[in-house]
Amino acid sequence: MDSPLLPEGVKRCSTKAFFLWTLPWLGLLAWGGLSAFLCLWKGLNQTNMSNIFAFALWIVFDLAVIALGAGAFFTGFLTYIIGKKELKNVINAAVIIGFICYSGAIAMLGIDIGQPIRGWFIFWHANIHSMLVEVSFCITCYLMVLAIEFVPIILGNRQLSKIRELNIFGHNLHETMAVFAATGTFLSFFHQGSLGGMFGVLYARPFAARDGFFIWPWTFFLFILSAIAAGPCFTILCTKLTEKLSRKKLVPDNAIQLLAKISAFLLSLYMVLKIADTLGWIYGVVPRAGLKFIDFYQEGPYGVWLVVCEIIIFGIAPAIILLVPKARQHDGWLIAACLMTCMGIVLNRFVFIVVTLAIPVMPFDRFWGYLPTWQEWGIAMAVIGYGFLLFSAAYRYLPLFPKERELNPVTE
Amino acid sequence: MKEKHVPGKRYGMIIDLDKCTGCGTCTIACAAENNVSVRSDESDKERSITWMELFKITNGKEFPHTEVCYFPRPCMHCEEDGRGHHQPSCVSVCVATATKLDHNTGIVSQVYTRCIGCRYCQAACPYKARYFNWWDAYFPKGKGLERYLSPEVSPRMRGVVEKCTFCHHRLMRAKNLAYAEERRELEEDEYITACAEACPAQAITFGDLNNPKHRVSQLIKSPYAFRLLERLNTKPKVYYLSNKDWVRKLADNYLPGEFEKIMKLSG
Amino acid sequence: MELNRRNFIKFVVGGAAGIQMTPLPWKLTDDIAIWTQNWPWVPVPPVGEFTHVKSICNLCPGGCGIEVRKVDKRAVKIEGRTDYPVNPGGICPLGMGGLQLLYNESIRFTRPMKRVGPRGSGKFMDITWEEALNILAARISTLRKNGSPEALAAVDGNPIRSTMSLLIERLFKAIGSPNYVRIPTIEDTFGMASLLMQGTDGPMACDLENADYILSFGSGLSNTASKADQWVAAKPGTEAALALGLCHVIIKEGLYDTRFVNDHCFGFNDWSSANGKDHIGFKTMVLDSYSPDKAGQITGLAPGDIVSLAKEFAGAKAPVAICGKGKGALNGSLYEFMAVNSLNALVGNINRPGGVLVRDPLPLNPLPEVELDEIALQGLEKPRLDLAGSMKHPFTHSLINNFTKAIIDSSRSLVDTLLVFSANPVHTIPDGGSFRKALKKIPFIVSFSPFQDETAYMADLILPDHTYLEKTEDFIWPAGLQYPLYGLSQPVVEPIYNTKNTGDVILDLAKRIGASIGSAFPWSRFEEVLKERVKGLFDSAGGLVDHDGSTPAWQRQKEGGELNPDYKSFEEMWKKIKSTGLWYRPVHTYKTREVLFKTPTGKFEFFSSKIELAVNALSEKGSLDTALCDMAISGKGDEVFMPHYETTKYDADRSVYPLLMMPYEMINLASGWVPTPPFLNKSLFDTQLRGDESFFEINPGTAADYNLKQGDRAIIKSPEGKVRARANLSEGAMPDIIYMPLGFGHTAYDEFLQGKGVNPNDIVCAGKDPLSGLPVWWNTPVRLIKL
Ligand SMILES: Nc1nc2c(c(=O)[nH]1)N[C@H]1C(S)=C(S)[C@@H](COP(=O)(O)OP(=O)(O)OC[C@H]3O[C@@H](n4cnc5c(=O)[nH]c(N)nc54)[C@H](O)[C@@H]3O)O[C@H]1N2
Ligand SMILES: Nc1nc2c(c(=O)[nH]1)N[C@H]1C(S)=C(S)[C@@H](COP(=O)(O)OP(=O)(O)OC[C@H]3O[C@@H](n4cnc5c(=O)[nH]c(N)nc54)[C@H](O)[C@@H]3O)O[C@H]1N2
Ligand code: SF4
Ligand code: SF4
Ligand code: SF4
Ligand code: SF4
Ligand code: SF4
Ligand SMILES: [Mo]
């Protein structure tokens, strides 16, 4: 039915199948829509956030998707600035994943603040000392960049590309992509870093506080590094998932392997620095606050297992897998390693947000627990639904994978 | 009209924990003075608003050797963020410049109409002194409770953060009076906070820490004076007094062997 | 236009700049900023002229000075006064929340009403004051016509000796009903202890200012007790044994004030009466029966601690022992108070600086005698339902528990009409819910409460009083104050509803009943009554009508300054009192001990002649044993007439109810007849109230016996009933005792109070305090069932 819209020379499932496929994601969106309405109408009392858990599920999701969306800028950087031509095969997918992650994050942030229609005060009354201002500026600008990067892909649609003006417009945009990629890279570096900085500068919360360089605590750099290590992994996961679902090979192995190799290198570097940072924290920040490392892991569900998981299981282990060429060339190992890397990053963001807030700072205060409400889950799940929808639609209607036709010649 | 500040004031407070009976009048006086909204369930301590929050601490010993001490905690009006920057933790992180340290008074202000409710400041404050309005202020029709609201402090809207302001409007009130009488300087008792004024045990002393004549600046010199979590280097302007070792010890974190050095105090 | 790269950039930049040039975005942003700050549902307090009105808080008998900040006609803040001697600057949480009582329309009665729905349904109909008063006057007249004025009863919670309570008592006298019942308070017990040992029925006070060692017979780890010099944790109800144990050590070690004891005390040594009968003295009794070992056994304290405590106490320069239970809203135990007072007497600490002060009543004018008509005379002959003042309870003024029991036990309605003043007995009386049952048997109930409390809810007629911020009333020498003080409140705001000062209502009612009752109330306004009484203060000469917190009168006096009254005429004095709310003499006058004691012996009596007379009188009607039994005394021989320890007798089987439940008052919760202002909920810990559930405190060891962890729910069951609450494990709690806060568990009021927590009074199984007959509310046998 929608065949005129489909890219030329590729095979897509039937309209009906596609429609059925979108239903669960539409369901998530509806859940999210209701949740958003309630949160905006009745206020944030619809959540289980509190004065203790000022940040909670949504911010964890925000930080996680932004880290995972880092594949976009980093692949762009590698493709356009460094000139890794083989990555042109994944760049479109990476850009869309990035767009989904960033737009989703900003939408969530819009609901997360208590006075959404005053949100622009961040720009209007900006406090240049606040890492969150840095984050907001960079994310907003970068989302615009992503949108601009998205436009030529949209214009690549079979019908749209027939319109001459649009075609020229798209082409021109494409020509300038290096400029945007450079801008995006710059912006992204900063906001990924600032997200880390946001927590590292909580100097009065010894669990999150970090020393650093100039105005940036070490978390600033660790967040950048972890994001660019995990971003490509997430891009790989998404393409692999698309390949599995469409039962087609979409990206040449060399592109995937290059991403995996880069990720392996970055993840290893990240782990070295993360371990150094953890030691620096244990022997610097923690005793300065009159505490011992173990003091943080005494109460509630958050024990030392968090550290073990984050560093060993979801850090060192995938790094080793990705470093070994034999292993990363094996699909199963590759996917497992990418998954572990992504989980490690999500866990890291979770720890910095939720565990930081759960651990009392005042010596006589007690430990607090938090469980999200269905409204909170709704908003978070809506981002997932939205991601699936947009990515599926993009895959269906846009020339997402330039090598798709070549790798899957239509046989009849 | 722009007011000229007499520079060099650092308003601060000292709370004598040995006098405090934990009666909670300070909490209530603060709420009454500052139009703090009351909900039907105030027992949800994670979401209720108490600018002056009372904590109860014990020495952890068994009956009958148990000792109890109450710990009233307003905003500390910190001067630094813990890493030597001359801004409290909450101020340096605020995205919309909705909270500021006034270097002429030492008061950390909160501008409700500018706050966007991002709650980053809550994450940054180690003393839990900041409260978010999870609900609209509760003034249902048919009760008429809004009739006691004071026009000196604006009631807050849902979705913004609020906290103790050292009753800033009282400073304004005192200054206006002084200016009307063509005075530039306030007397010690002309500006005191609602909690200090109300405390039946007279446990709270408020004044200018920079003025050596003010009682507060004399009291903080006591060897028994301390600040909550002093070693975080947030430089609070709220001090405490107690000659009980266990109380002072509980007010901060100490590694093994550290506290003994200052424990000799009470002989 | 050709869409090339150059034009493209031009287009984008130009477009963006263009939009900025239009006023649209600026206007919109400005509007948004304004909208988000002016939500229509966020109240905007009107501005206006600021004024201050000075008055007095009457939410408890403390009578603190308050200054109310007003904006035009609205009261916006209550503050403590620095020019009032009772409370230099500070006030308590309850007083601080007062405006929420004034302005919370959903808990107030805003006009007179009569019941239309079934009783307790809360369905009332508006009526006029005229109608309301006529209904009541007619009812009372009918009772009198039928020759049964005693079927009119009152429960009065106004402070003892206040003009308001005097007026109500007077009304009852004129009508001819003896059944004027007061809510018991700590003052009843203090008064009796003072009467029996010192001969004056005045309140006792301790001069804490000049005391250098304060020994508090606290029964709990209360907020304030944590600040006392010594906190002595005897098992509840055994404080007397502790006090006497201390006396034992002090006597044995010869640490007592021999001069005072020899010259001014009666009954210390063994003695013989005029008829030749030998009596043992306080000394012998204490030495025989209260050794540290024995006292330790009873109280659960270590004998060594008792010895060292006694030595510390006796060794101090100005030691004072204070007794009381909680905030004093409820009575104490008479023999216990006498025991603690003996301790003060032993160290000679009666009526001297830093000691227990024996006070004379304020020199207020008495009201003219009431001329009783025949009906009244006959009515007053009838026995009181509560037997207070009878031979069984000769020293007690009111026994509300007996009153309740009499009504419940009788097959007919002993009380036809009940008037309730400033009281909410359904909630506050520790009687296991009996009062509520008694109300059901009373045909007609009239409430004068300004608040929609539990008792008023059961009423047939509502004649709402003003709240304390809307009226004038007096405060006669607040409890515990060392020096004579008279306080006068004034309306802080104009009455905001159609309510009336109950004082005025009584005057009006008396006139409507007419005859001798009308003429017993010749005043047209309540204020005239107040003024007439105050004239006595003027006539007594002296006394100040203002107070300067920065240089208090006692300080000026110490420095040799003159303390001349600052008024010339009575009119001037009255005018000043009305504005300052105050008349006082800054210092206690220490009368010489020769004229101090008004006991039959003229001395401080360790052996109370009055008890002896009373017991003998009752014995004459039967035997000594039945007399003692009637008076609920289990002591034997001479100890009956002296302070001694009596084991609490429980009706309950202690093997079934092995724990004791002790209600306690919290400073930040109103446990009396006044509702708790919502602000106070902010100061409660979430280990006291969480959601709608209140907590009981329990020692962790005891909790372990019942497998209870922090926050666990349990049923606390007494023979009277059961309540459900959560456990708060507290190291400071005594083993085997369960502590439950008073002030929760309201069924009345609004969402701030209704249904929050449970009321321990509902399960109190009140025994009778020996001799006084007042309820023993502080240790109910209970058992615990974990949920
Ligand atoms: N109207 C009026 N008001 C007064 C006063 C007055 O005379 N009249 N007096 C004032 C004075 S002197 C006082 S002390 C306060 C009283 O008021 P508070 O200072 O509040 O003291 P309490 O009511 O005895 O108990 C409050 C606390 O004591 C604890 N509790 C009570 N008994 C025990 C116990 O045995 N063990 C443990 N672990 N906890 C216990 C509970 O944890 C509770 O938190 O009221 C003050 N307010
Ligand atoms: N069994 C039993 N006994 C108890 C308790 C209990 O719960 N159970 N509670 C204990 C506790 S916690 C306490 S604190 C005590 C309470 O017993 P009290 O100490 O007798 O009660 P307060 O009302 O605190 O008495 C303080 C006195 O100081 C006076 N005062 C106030 N301000 C001034 C001033 O500026 N100058 C002078 N000269 N006088 C002033 C007050 O008027 C009052 O007379 O009782 C203790 N005893
Ligand atoms: S008002 Fe005073 S005594 Fe009461 S809790 Fe506050 S500081 Fe403590
Ligand atoms: S106590 Fe918290 S809110 Fe107050 S100044 Fe310090 S950091 Fe800011
Ligand atoms: S919640 Fe308000 S005050 Fe706090 S950081 Fe955000 S904008 Fe600033
Ligand atoms: S200083 Fe003022 S605002 Fe701060 S806690 Fe005290 S009363 Fe409240
Ligand atoms: S309730 Fe009692 S103690 Fe509190 S302010 Fe009023 S009179 Fe004073
Ligand atoms: Mo007390």
Side-chain angles (χ1 to χ4, degrees), chain C residues 60 220-224 327 664-665 667 688 697 730 732-733 739:
Chain C
C60 86
L221 184 70
S222 72
N223 298 15
T224 318
K327 286 186 278 194
Y664 68 90
E665 297 171 280
I667 182 80
Q688 293 172 320
E697 300 221 5
S730 158
Y739 302 86

